[in-house]
Amino acid sequence: MNLKIIFKVLGLLLVVEGFAMLLTSVVALIYGGNDTVAFLISAGINLGIGALITAATWKAKKDIGKREGFIIVTMVWLVFSFFGSLPYILSGSIPRFTDAFFETISGFTTTGSSILNDIEALPHGILFWRSITQWLGGMGIIVLSLAILPVFGIGGMQLFMAEVPGPTPDKISPRITQTAKTLWGIYILFTVLETILLWIGGMTFFDSICHSFTTMATGGFSTKQASIAHWPSPFIQYVITFFMFLAGTNFTLSYMAITGRFSSIVKDEEFKYYSLITLCFSAVITGGLLLSSHLNFEGAFREALFQVVSIVTTTGFATADYLVWPPFLTMLIFALFFFGGSAGSTGGGIKIMRIVILAKNGYYELKRLVHPRAVIPVKFNRHSVDSKIVTNVLAFFMLYMVIFFVSTILFTLIEPDMESSMGAVATSLGNIGPGLGSVGPAENFYHISPLGKWFLSFLMLLGRLELFTVLVLFSPSFWKE
């Protein structure tokens, strides 16, 4: 195993995190916060350690194998979260390391679960750092590295495959570096557009850019304790809904839209089901709210649409507390915890593509029972899906559900309330943010014990890297030559 290249990549990416902290220190200085020094010290630590590691491993062999790729991807999230918690601790905003680490890994994994009880009291630098952790984590620290590491002669295909382990990790360009740059270009473009629209809609420029960061990352951190409910403006809520939906869509389709290939979007099967699921759930919940509340049609539709898009894309913003809705509507929202966005999006969860393949395979299995000699392949986007991919999807789904049930049982030892345990585990594994019970959209995770926070942090990492990337490290055969 090429340990030197592992440390070299980690060192280079620590330097990237250090520069992100320097940028945040400028924001803190502009707003006159008392957290400027904390960010400068944190940036110095990151840049210093990153530079030392990079210098010590500069002559490392540049080949990254499959094992190195899995180790690097997992370690990057852990290392970034460890060093990313320094500004919280040094500024005194979150003095306990467990809480600071939980908040940071929740940011980088774009989960959005928080332990903060008074967000408005935090200095602007800390609020900006919370947002930028999600923005970096959204497109993926590894995808960022694909655009940077080739400058140093380090290939990135194995990193890309480990970071994007979905059924079909489409590439926009034959060159992985160009793919990463194109994805980041689209990501930045959408972030800028949303910032402008939110600013026009009445948010301050600071709030606009922070919410654009966390919307495009499908992260859900807000600068307000009440989340998006702080702004009752229909314009702001519709803008955020639109960009959440966009962020939950395969970014390859966004590239096609920008380049004028709209027919490819119309024909894309995953996008059709993604849109259909969003519309159907929104319609049913709208009807339920009209019957159970005093909202008019537009208000009920906006509230339903916002929450459905927020949950299905795993963003986790809130304009309403869905726990006070009728139980049937709350259960519909909980069902969405297990959908997730499209493959190739910044969303977490199981992903729409996997669910469609599962449903089709189940249907075709019934047909095979009736016609045992017939060859009936599973098709997606009018192409036959390789049997290995179908097997991978089945394995992923079964493993996901087993981890959910086992983790829920274990978490009841920490959080005796079953509803809260189910919500905490589901939201952490799906990288969503709010859960059920005591960790619902009107609450937070502050009251969870330190052991519970570490357990949920592991689930966030597991869900963000889609299970296999992390679990393969626990296989004895992985470490054998």
Side-chain angles (χ1 to χ4, degrees), residues 10-276:
L10 293 176
L12 287 169
L13 291 175
L14 273 179
V15 172
V16 172
E17 186 178 36
F19 279 114
M21 289 176 175
L22 279 179
L23 172 63
T24 309
S25 69
V26 174
V27 174
L29 185 63
I30 291 171
Y31 284 94
N34 58 1
D35 52 343
T36 307
V37 174
F39 280 105
L40 289 173
I41 294 173
S42 301
I45 292 172
N46 270 53
L47 292 170
I49 294 176
L52 284 173
I53 293 173
T54 304
T57 57
W58 188 254
K59 295 183 179 180
K61 292 181 180 179
K62 297 172 182 177
D63 296 328
I64 297 179
K66 186 172 288 186
R67 288 198 298 175
E68 287 86 351
F70 283 121
I71 293 170
I72 288 169
V73 167
T74 304
M75 288 303 298
V76 162
W77 296 97
L78 293 173
V79 170
F80 259 54
S81 298
F82 176 82
F83 285 93
S85 64
L86 290 176
Y88 294 125
I89 298 169
L90 295 177
S91 67
S93 300
I94 307 177
R96 294 188 297 185
F97 175 69
T98 295
D99 288 343
F101 184 87
F102 181 91
E103 193 78 12
T104 310
I105 198 168
S106 178
F108 278 120
T109 59
T110 71
T111 303
S113 301
S114 180
I115 54 87
L116 297 170
N117 287 313
D118 189 5
I119 292 173
E120 284 93 335
L122 295 173
H124 284 75
I126 291 295
L127 294 176
F128 187 80
W129 179 243
R130 290 176 81 234
S131 301
I132 209 168
T133 57
Q134 293 206 319
W135 194 71
L136 288 173
M139 183 55 70
I141 299 164
I142 301 308
V143 177
L144 172 64
S145 72
L146 294 175
I148 295 175
L149 297 186
V151 176
F152 301 95
I154 301 172
M157 176 54 80
Q158 295 301 337
L159 296 183
F160 182 79
M161 293 301 292
E163 167 70 3
V164 191
T168 55
D170 296 325
K171 290 192 297 178
I172 293 167
S173 167
R175 296 183 60 205
I176 191 64
T177 308
Q178 188 58 43
T179 297
K181 289 178 180 178
T182 303
L183 289 174
W184 267 102
I186 296 169
Y187 194 55
I188 292 169
L189 173 63
F190 288 164
T191 303
V192 171
L193 288 176
E194 186 184 0
T195 299
I196 293 170
L197 288 173
L198 292 177
W199 194 16
I200 292 171
M203 277 192 183
T204 65
F205 180 73
F206 179 81
D207 288 333
S208 298
I209 195 167
C210 285
H211 284 89
S212 297
F213 280 163
T214 56
T215 301
M216 291 313 304
T218 62
F221 275 162
S222 176
T223 56
K224 306 298 179 184
Q225 195 71 39
S227 189
I228 308 304
H230 180 84
W231 293 274
S233 163
F235 178 81
I236 287 175
Q237 293 179 12
Y238 280 124
V239 166
I240 291 176
T241 301
F242 173 76
F243 280 96
M244 284 193 296
F245 184 82
L246 209 57
T249 306
N250 190 328
F251 269 73
T252 304
L253 297 183
S254 298
Y255 174 76
M256 290 176 179
I258 291 171
T259 54
R261 287 180 280 174
F262 296 103
S263 59
S264 299
I265 302 171
V266 175
K267 294 175 184 177
D268 188 81
E269 198 169 348
E270 185 181 31
F271 183 73
K272 288 178 183 177
Y273 281 103
Y274 172 53
S275 304
L276 186 63

Side-chain angles (χ1 to χ4, degrees), residues 286-299:
T286 298
L289 290 176
L290 285 173
L291 293 173
S292 62
S293 70
H294 299 292
L295 293 170
N296 59 26
F297 177 79
E298 190 279 327

